[in-house]
Structures are given as structure tokens and as C-alpha cells.
Amino acid sequence: MIWPGVIEAYRDYLPFDADTPAVTLNEGNTPLIHAPRLADHIAPRAGLRLFLKYEGLNPTGSFKDRGMTAAITRAVQEGAGTVICASTGNTAASAAAYAARAGLRCIVLVPQGKIALGKLAASLAYGAEVISIDGSFDDGLRMVREITERRPIALVNSVNPWRLEGQKTGAFEIVDQLGGRAPDWHCLPVGNAGNISAYWMGYKQYERGLPQLLGGQAAGSAPIVLGRVVEKPETVATAIRIGNPARWRQAVEALDESGGIITAVSDEDILAAWRMLSRLEGVFVEPASATGLAALKQQIESGEIDPAGKTAVVVLTGHGLKDPGTAVEQAATPITLPAELEALDRYLA
Ligand code: F0G
């Protein structure tokens, strides 16, 4: 069977009519990878069952595609000709791809110099009009919110409720993949706070048990943890370099309802978790995507989370090839040798 994408797969759980044609790239159905080596590393001999939801394998390389299929399907239904978003990069690439598929004009605002190369490349390749602004994601979001009040352009950031409708399907898949029940802990990075809000909606709607939520923010961009707007957010995890999340209140509600935790992790710990994912399990993600794992490791070490016999799912939100620059900076330099057998033999000795 061909996987039809998240709207067809879960139409009964989504507020689309039976005959609304989906704009889809067959997103979703991403693997839930069992990670025993990693589990042993962060919680030795605790019997932790750890799973990685590898959202980087979506068509444009991030979880945004789940929400974008819904937002663009809705925009087409409403007769939109143009869509717009502010983005740290992944929303931009996803909007650009789905807009291309639907034949819509797509405009994306990105913070100058703070968007990873793979995201910029993809957005341009899909034909979006990329506008680089001398400001942050938060500045861009304010601009697109205001311009869409003034002009007939569809806003496809996660302030658009259809984005969350699509993204909640991630929770359905996790439950299905775990054999019909929710995990004990659901761990993920928090930026604009759309995804944590969407997952909580999904778990509640599916009624197969509820996890406790663990959200990770980068220490230099941790408004929800600090309880105040961060004017100049900074972090190596550019995807979540956000100082004033649009879904702040909804995320706090979800965290409270689930008996969850939101915590800040340093860039150093994010990169350590990022390295562990590739080296211990062969799963390459962009730095922001490792924030959920960094948060889980921190909370186990501090004793806030008891891992014994628990099932934890860590959502890996974006593919490692999104940010080749950071990957190369963080890696050892490749070894250079003459093209001679003897040189290789000496190297191996
Ligand atoms: N991980 C990645 C790879 C992201 O790109 C984002 C958000 C998040 C996590 C956080 O998700 O915003 O729903 O809390 N990226 C947005 C963008 C802001 O523009 O691509 P969130």
C-alpha cells in the first residue's frame, strides 16, 4: 500500500470534509527507532525503553510537513493565491514545497545570517521568495501577522490552527507504533511552541493514554522556562532561536495538564546529545532536534525523572543535512593522504 500522507491516513480525526482534496507529499509515517545503546548511555541498567521519532525523514526533512499539508490544503480550499510565514528555516522550506505543489505564491521571512544552509537552499529551490530581515524570527512573525491583517494572504505559521491539526498526527503515529498506547514521557524541543501544543492535542484526542511532556529550550532562548520574553535570543540550535513563542500559553497549559517539565539546556549539552545520536545510534539530526534528548538526560541525572522501566519517546524534529555548516564545524577535519596504497597502509598501522 502507498502511504497516502497524514490527511488521508487520519481524516476521521481531522476537521476536513470527506471530499476535500489533500495537498500532500505523502508526509508522515516516519520511523520510531528503538535506541537501546542510547538508553544505556543516559540511564545505565535502568531498563529505560527509549524510542526516537525520526521526523527528519519527512519530505522536506522536518516535522513541519505534517502541519503544512493541512495549512496549504486549507489555504487552497479558501481560495488563497499567496501564503506567507516567518521562519527559522524549516517552516519556510516546508511552506515553499507545499505551495509549489499547490501552485501558490510563497513568501518567507527569515532572520538574516541565522538560517541553516540546507533550509535556505531548499526554500530557494522550491521557488519561494525568500526575504532576509535584519531582525529575529520574533520580528518576522510580528510582521507577517500584521501584513496578513492588511492583505489577502494566508498565514501558515503555527498561529494558524490548521498547522496544529496536521502536527497532532505525530501523536497518533507514536501511539500506533508503540502498539496502541502512549509513552510515559514525550520529549521534544520547544521554539514557537506549536509542536508541543499539537502533540498534546493529539494524545488527548486519540484516547490511548497520556504521556508526561518534557520540553527542552536552549538556555540562550528559554522564554517559557524563564517566564519572560527574551529580547535577543541566541543558540547554536538556530531552529529554536525564539524569544517570544506564539503558542506560549497553550504550551504551558499542555505542560501543566500532563504533569510535565520544561527545562533549559546549554548549547554544549545540545551538541553533546546531537553527537550521541549520530555516534551511538546512527541517527543524524540538526542541532535543535537533539534538545529533547539533552533535556531527558539532564532530568534523569538530576533525579527529576525516574527512568526505571519507563518508555520515553524523543522527537527528532529535523534532519542533520539541514545544517551541514554546524556539522562540519563540530567534526574532526578529514584525514588527507596521497593516493597511494602504502600511505593508507601506514595510516592504518
Ligand atoms: N525543531 C526544529 C528542527 C524546528 O525547526 C522547530 C521550529 C522546532 C524544533 C520547534 O518547534 O516552534 O513548534 O516549538 N521551527 C520553526 C521554523 C520556528 O520556522 O522552522 P515549535
Side-chain angles (χ1 to χ4, degrees):
M1 186 196 93
I2 293 173
W3 172 262
V6 300
I7 292 179
E8 283 315 321
Y10 294 109
R11 195 180 278 267
D12 291 350
Y13 295 87
L14 295 170
F16 286 109
D17 301 333
D19 52 2
T20 304
V23 179
T24 180
L25 284 160
N26 308 69
E27 62 295 314
N29 196 27
T30 56
L32 188 71
I33 303 171
H34 187 213
R37 273 164 54 79
L38 200 48
D40 221 44
H41 189 78
I42 65 167
R45 295 171 299 282
L48 170 68
R49 294 174 69 227
L50 180 62
F51 294 90
L52 309 172
K53 183 67 170 161
Y54 196 14
E55 289 288 279
L57 292 190
N58 275 296
T60 78
S62 86
F63 73 97
K64 304 287 180 181
D65 296 343
R66 292 183 186 277
M68 209 52 75
T69 182
I72 299 290
T73 294
R74 183 64 184 171
V76 168
Q77 203 180 13
E78 286 179 337
T82 304
V83 298
I84 196 167
C85 64
S87 181
T88 55
N90 281 324
T91 300
S94 186
Y98 285 80
R101 191 122 169 116
L104 304 178
R105 180 180 177 197
C106 178
I107 299 162
V108 304
L109 269 66
V110 299
Q112 199 161 18
K114 299 290 185 183
I115 153 172
L117 192 61
K119 305 175 189 182
L120 180 63
S123 302
L124 293 167
Y126 294 128
E129 293 158 60
V130 177
I131 300 176
S132 216
I133 59 162
D134 178 17
S136 65
F137 167 86
D138 305 286
D139 296 324
L141 186 59
R142 197 171 9 86
M143 289 166 70
V144 296
R145 288 178 93 147
E146 285 172 19
I147 206 73
T148 50
E149 308 243 303
R150 216 185 268 185
R151 289 172 177 272
I153 298 176
L155 181 61
V156 295
N157 278 107
S158 63
V159 293
N160 176 336
W162 293 88
R163 281 278 310 280
L164 302 205
E165 291 294 335
Q167 281 170 219
K168 75 184 180 188
T169 62
F172 305 163
E173 275 180 30
I174 289 171
V175 167
D176 291 346
Q177 288 169 318
L178 287 176
R181 57 173 291 247
D184 299 304
W185 283 95
H186 177 97
C187 318
L188 78 175
V190 177
N192 211 26
N195 212 27
I196 190 168
S197 305
Y199 266 107
W200 188 241
M201 279 170 53
Y203 282 118
K204 285 203 294 191
Q205 187 181 1
Y206 220 43
E207 296 184 322
R208 267 55 156 210
L210 295 170
Q212 286 178 277
L213 299 174
L214 172 60
Q217 295 205 290
S221 308
I224 302 179
V225 177
L226 298 170
R228 60 172 167 79
V229 170
V230 175
E231 295 295 342
K232 290 199 182 336
E234 267 314 333
T235 170
V236 68
T238 52
I240 53 171
R241 188 174 163 272
I242 294 175
N244 188 10
R247 293 280 180 180
W248 189 327
R249 192 156 19 95
Q250 201 172 337
V252 170
E253 261 173 40
L255 284 157
D256 286 349
E257 278 180 41
S258 81
I261 299 172
I262 182 129
T263 186
V265 287
S266 67
D267 277 8
E268 203 173 52
D269 287 350
I270 290 173
L271 289 172
W274 169 82
R275 216 168 276 121
M276 276 186 253
L277 283 160
S278 334
R279 304 228 177 143
L280 293 176
E281 300 290 2
V283 179
F284 183 34
V285 301
E286 65 169 289
S289 297
T291 309
L293 177 64
L296 180 61
K297 181 168 182 287
Q298 179 204 66
Q299 293 297 302
I300 289 173
E301 279 170 2
S302 71
E304 295 295 322
I305 291 181
D306 175 8
K310 297 282 172 27
T311 299
V313 169
V314 173
V315 183
L316 305 177
T317 45
H319 199 283
L321 293 173
K322 289 280 188 174
D323 191 354
T326 304
V328 170
E329 267 167 35
Q330 291 298 319
T333 321
I335 291 133
T336 315
L337 288 179
E340 289 160 14
L341 182 62
E342 284 313 310
L344 179 60
D345 200 47
R346 268 197 306 279
Y347 170 73
L348 292 171

